[in-house]
């Protein structure tokens, strides 16, 4: 009986979805072929990669119109959308990721009902006064209205410094910034190419590691290949940072596609390296004494 009911519901859904919808826009086939290691790989739709061409723009507009018309025909969609809006507006704010630091210091993401992006805020104790540390919407206005968003953030163990990444226009191409939370002042220069640059702090709160992409090359398509982990001292900045795990280090031989990260153990004795292969769940782990950094290792 249950199976019959499910089949009936699915049948009704399919009937609604296929009601006299205008066809999906015609997608011209323009044959392009590349040879990789002796194998010819055809690419019929490469022309769609040129998002500035008028042909691509027309196709995207037609596809968007088709999607909008299809969604508009879903029964009850408008009332459901209105109800979701009511529920969202009933909440004064949303709280995202939260860090609890020594001294009952709380650093967390907050988005008010009228906001488009999360701010990073802090307070001393649960009943303390909330103070905004990073407001991407205010930064956006200061930069001529360019949409900005916070990608990630981490705080030093002593609660002094905040490292956070900001990207433009939904690109996720983050720029790493450092903030002195006590003074409310920026520290050092910002660091580009920090898409995966979540700062991994050392227990002494005076240095952190982060992943940085290699310098961009317009002739290469493997943007994320060859990234490296850099060690940065707060008082020295990027100018004196050094690569501790990557293509130019000798401790481990990394394949170009590996994305490395280095964490410090809580007691500060060990460096823990993680080598990830894109979005695959498998990771390689390596360990080295943190004291080796004093001798220029692991390098």
């Amino acid at each position: 009986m249950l199976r019959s009911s499910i089949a009936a519901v699915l049948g009704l859904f399919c009937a609604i979805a296929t009601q006299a919808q205008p066809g999906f826009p015609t997608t011209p086939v323009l044959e392009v072929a590349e040879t990789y290691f002796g194998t010819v790989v055809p690419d019929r739709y490469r022309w769609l990669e040129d998002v500035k061409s008028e042909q691509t723009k027309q196709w995207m507009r037609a596809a968007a119109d088709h999607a909008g018309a299809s969604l508009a025909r879903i029964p009850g969609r408008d009332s459901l959308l209105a109800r979701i809006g009511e529920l969202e507006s009933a909440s004064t704010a949303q709280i995202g990721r939260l860090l609890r630091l020594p001294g009952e210091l709380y650093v967390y993401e907050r988005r008010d009902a009228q906001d488009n992006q999360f701010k990073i805020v802090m307070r001393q104790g649960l009943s303390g006064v909330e103070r905004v540390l990073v407001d991407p919407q205010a930064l956006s206005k200061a930069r001529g209205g360019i949409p900005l968003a916070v990608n990630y953030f981490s705080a030093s163990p002593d609660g002094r410094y905040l490292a956070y990444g900001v990207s433009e226009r939904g690109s996720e191409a983050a720029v790493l910034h450092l903030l002195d939370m006590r003074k409310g002042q920026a520290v050092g220069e910002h660091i580009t190419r920090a898409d995966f640059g979540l700062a991994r702090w050392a227990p002494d709160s005076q240095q952190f590691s982060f992943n940085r992409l290699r310098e961009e090359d317009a002739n290469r398509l493997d943007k994320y290949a060859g990234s490296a982990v850099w060690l940065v001292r707060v008082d020295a900045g990027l100018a004196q940072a050094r690569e501790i795990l990557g293509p130019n280090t000798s401790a481990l031989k990394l394949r170009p596609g590996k994305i490395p990260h280095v964490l410090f153990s809580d007691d500060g004795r060990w460096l823990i390296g993680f080598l990830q292969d894109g979005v695959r769940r498998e990771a390689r782990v390596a360990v080295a004494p943190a004291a080796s950094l004093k001798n220029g290792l692991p390098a």
Side-chain angles (χ1 to χ4, degrees):
M1 185 68 177
L2 178 59
R3 291 184 179 179
S4 299
S5 300
I6 294 175
V9 171
L10 290 175
L12 177 61
F13 177 80
C14 291
I16 293 172
T18 56
Q19 285 178 358
Q21 297 183 23
F24 192 81
T26 300
T27 309
V29 174
L30 302 178
E31 197 72 57
V32 176
E34 297 280 2
T35 301
Y36 299 98
F37 307 103
T39 300
V40 178
V41 180
D43 188 350
R44 298 179 174 182
Y45 304 106
R46 182 174 295 183
W47 62 272
L48 283 170
E49 296 178 9
D50 183 5
V51 296
K52 295 182 180 180
S53 76
E54 190 57 35
Q55 184 181 22
T56 301
K57 291 178 181 178
Q58 291 178 0
W59 183 91
M60 293 174 69
R61 283 191 288 265
D65 291 343
H66 172 76
S70 299
L71 293 172
R73 279 190 290 274
I74 298 176
R77 179 177 182 271
D78 291 341
S79 59
L80 177 60
L81 185 60
R83 180 56 178 156
I84 292 174
E86 291 175 4
L87 294 174
E88 286 190 340
S89 60
S91 175
T92 58
Q94 295 183 38
I95 303 299
R97 183 173 175 232
L98 182 147
L99 303 178
R100 184 180 180 183
L101 302 170
E104 288 300 292
L105 178 65
Y106 295 89
V107 179
Y108 53 96
E109 294 176 308
R110 176 189 174 97
R111 185 173 69 186
D112 295 329
Q114 72 277 9
D115 292 339
N116 292 322
Q117 298 292 342
F118 280 97
K119 303 181 179 72
I120 303 179
V121 300
M122 66 174 288
R123 66 169 63 186
Q124 193 79 44
L126 292 176
S127 58
V129 177
E130 192 174 80
R131 179 159 66 92
V132 176
L133 297 174
V134 182
D135 183 352
Q137 293 186 175
L139 294 175
S140 176
K141 291 180 181 179
R143 296 177 58 177
I146 297 174
L148 300 174
V150 173
N151 295 57
Y152 51 78
F153 66 96
S154 65
S156 59
D158 63 359
R160 176 72 181 271
Y161 301 106
L162 179 76
Y164 63 95
V166 174
S167 62
E168 298 182 357
R169 309 178 193 274
S171 67
E172 298 186 0
V175 176
L176 179 63
H177 300 261
L178 192 61
L179 177 73
D180 186 324
M181 291 191 285
R182 296 178 189 173
K183 299 179 180 180
Q185 297 177 352
V187 178
E189 73 275 36
H190 62 261
I191 302 174
T192 58
R193 309 198 310 272
D195 294 25
F196 310 121
L198 178 66
R200 319 284 185 171
W201 289 90
D204 64 5
S205 297
Q206 296 304 305
Q207 57 186 344
F208 62 88
S209 67
F210 79 103
N211 177 283
R212 194 181 196 199
L213 303 182
R214 59 171 172 74
E215 293 188 31
E216 294 185 12
D217 183 345
N219 297 319
R220 296 187 63 176
L221 300 178
D222 50 348
K223 174 182 177 180
Y224 299 110
S227 68
V229 176
W230 290 78
L231 184 68
V232 180
R233 288 197 58 84
V234 172
D235 59 359
L238 184 62
Q240 298 184 40
R242 61 191 178 95
E243 184 178 329
I244 60 173
L245 183 59
N248 300 314
T249 57
S250 59
L252 291 174
K253 296 299 182 182
L254 304 185
R255 295 201 306 270
K258 291 292 184 181
I259 301 175
H261 301 276
V262 173
L263 287 67
F264 293 84
S265 62
D266 289 342
D267 59 9
R269 295 179 57 197
W270 302 99
L271 301 173
I272 305 170
F274 287 88
L275 309 177
Q276 297 178 308
D277 189 4
V279 298
R280 294 178 61 182
R281 296 179 62 87
E282 297 85 357
R284 182 182 176 192
V285 180
V287 179
S292 64
L293 292 174
K294 298 179 181 178
N295 301 321
L297 302 174

